[in-house]
């Protein structure tokens, strides 16, 4: 384990063999039920105009309403704030800012 500032760094990447991964038969912890698992890094890719940013925004807003943090890397420019506002109006849910 690598130490940072004299303290253990618990965020080190841990490599597992295929056998170890298969042997892990724990209950799936969902961040968004049957869509996105807890403690994963998700990447969404696809052709232009396939609603990727729309879906990513919906997922992140659902996570935020549930009290979880999320990150969107977007090339939407100033339009992302308008989409967030529209999402909150449609779903009737406020998010602490």
């Amino acid at each position: 384990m690598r130490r940072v500032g004299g303290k253990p760094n618990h965020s080190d990447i841990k490599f597992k063999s295929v056998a170890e991964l298969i042997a892990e038969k724990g209950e799936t912890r969902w961040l968004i039920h049957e869509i996105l698992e807890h403690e994963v890094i998700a990447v969404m890719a696809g052709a232009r105009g396939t609603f990727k940013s729309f879906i990513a925004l919906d997922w992140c807003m659902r996570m935020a309403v549930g009290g979880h943090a999320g990150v969107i890397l977007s090339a939407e420019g100033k339009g992302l704030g308008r989409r967030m506002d529209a999402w909150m109006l449609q779903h009737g849910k406020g998010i602490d800012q």
Side-chain angles (χ1 to χ4, degrees):
M1 182 181 308
R2 192 177 59 192
R3 293 187 174 266
V4 176
K7 296 182 179 181
N9 181 359
H10 296 288
S11 65
D12 287 343
I13 297 173
K14 295 176 179 112
F15 293 96
K16 297 180 182 181
S17 69
V18 172
E20 289 173 311
L21 291 170
I22 292 171
E24 291 179 350
K25 295 188 178 181
E27 185 75 23
T28 301
R29 292 178 43 210
W30 296 107
L31 189 56
I32 301 173
H33 187 66
E34 295 187 355
I35 295 175
L36 187 61
E37 290 185 44
H38 195 270
E39 297 180 349
V40 300
I41 296 174
V43 176
M44 188 176 300
R48 176 178 246 162
T50 56
F51 300 98
K52 297 176 301 297
S53 55
F54 177 82
I55 293 167
L57 176 62
D58 180 63
W59 289 1
C60 278
M61 296 298 282
R62 289 174 188 270
M63 289 166 35
V65 167
H68 303 282
V71 175
I72 297 178
L73 300 177
S74 171
E76 300 297 321
K78 295 182 180 181
L80 190 59
R82 288 193 314 269
R83 290 180 180 193
M84 289 177 165
D85 188 43
W87 189 95
M88 288 189 290
L89 287 171
Q90 176 65 34
H91 294 279
K93 298 176 181 176
I95 297 173
D96 292 338
Q97 298 176 4

